[in-house]
Amino acid sequence: MSVTLDKWSDDEIDSMVEVGGNSQANAIYEAFLPEGYRKPHPDSAQEERQKFIKSKYELQEFLEPSLRIVSNHPSDAGKQASNSHSASSKSEIGMVEFIGILNVKVIGGTKLAIRDMSSSDPYVVLTLGQQKAQTSVIKGNLNPVWNEELKLSVPQKYGPLKLQVLDHDMVSKDDLMGEAEIDLQPMINAAASFGDPELLGDIQIGRWLKSGDNALTADSAVMVTGGKVKQEVTLKLQHTESGEVTVEMEWMALNI
């Protein structure tokens, strides 16, 4: 009803168009709704409806964990929870400010550094803005194979994807085994230029070039494969003695 009762700014309308409407938004915000959970209905008490709105949008209890963003301004979050129609791109909560989803498959590492007596217990941590996601720990292996998929949301103003390899330690702080950064612009810009990948054949649409300013071991092509935008990247780890890590990224824009 707020569509007719309230005044919407152009930014708010554009943001709702980018999200894709209620069905697409709910597919994201209610992806982890517990089985048997009873959502409030139009006749539910106001208290019950407010509790659900807070759980869904402010606390993000039903959102996939790797996509959850905690607001830096709790008071603003509470205001948005009470005004559920306000899905502005200026919001710091939820998916509205995001331009897409990044799936990162951490494939494996080679010749990683030793941090224990003769080996290491490595795991990978990915950081994008306030979000972190990590793989499992592989015990005693300098050439680990993870093949694990991690998911991150990409905001309108995004920086590089930071990758760290750490050695898990039971009794002390985990040791750094190397780190590197991934520039997301070549993939995101190429995808935006070519439009809906489902309408394209299997082609190369972009390339991230190896240089002295990045950690690439070789040029990395941005491909459309099976209607999906993908890019495989092998990185030489920095601030360590040795080691490389290979990941495969998949980009899914939210405004197509």
Side-chain angles (χ1 to χ4, degrees), residues 101-235:
I101 304 298
L102 184 69
N103 283 331
V104 183
K105 183 177 182 180
V106 181
I107 297 174
T110 57
K111 299 180 180 179
L112 300 183
I114 296 174
R115 288 294 179 266
D116 297 327
M117 293 295 293
S118 60
S119 189
S120 296
D121 302 328
Y123 65 97
V124 172
V125 176
L126 300 178
T127 304
L128 183 63
Q130 302 176 57
Q131 303 166 87
K132 285 184 181 291
Q134 71 179 58
T135 66
S136 59
V137 176
I138 296 184
K139 296 286 187 179
N141 198 325
L142 300 180
N143 298 284
V145 176
W146 284 283
N147 283 327
E148 295 182 21
E149 293 190 3
L150 306 176
K151 185 176 292 186
L152 299 160
S153 51
V154 179
Q156 292 175 346
K157 296 182 179 180
Y158 60 88
L161 175 65
K162 298 181 179 180
L163 180 149
Q164 289 183 311
V165 181
L166 299 168
D167 171 52
H168 180 65
D169 199 312
M170 295 292 292
V171 296
S172 62
K173 183 179 178 180
D174 292 352
D175 298 314
L176 181 67
M177 298 175 63
E179 56 190 352
E181 292 188 348
I182 300 174
D183 185 359
L184 300 179
Q185 286 190 353
M187 180 171 60
I188 294 176
N189 290 346
S193 298
F194 279 80
D196 190 347
E198 294 185 357
L199 303 179
L200 303 174
D202 291 356
I203 60 171
Q204 178 179 324
I205 60 173
R207 182 176 292 272
W208 182 24
L209 300 178
K210 176 186 176 182
S211 73
D213 296 326
N214 60 48
L216 285 176
T217 62
D219 293 352
S220 173
V222 181
M223 305 292 298
V224 172
T225 305
K228 298 179 180 180
V229 178
K230 295 188 176 184
Q231 182 179 11
E232 185 171 304
V233 176
T234 299
L235 303 163

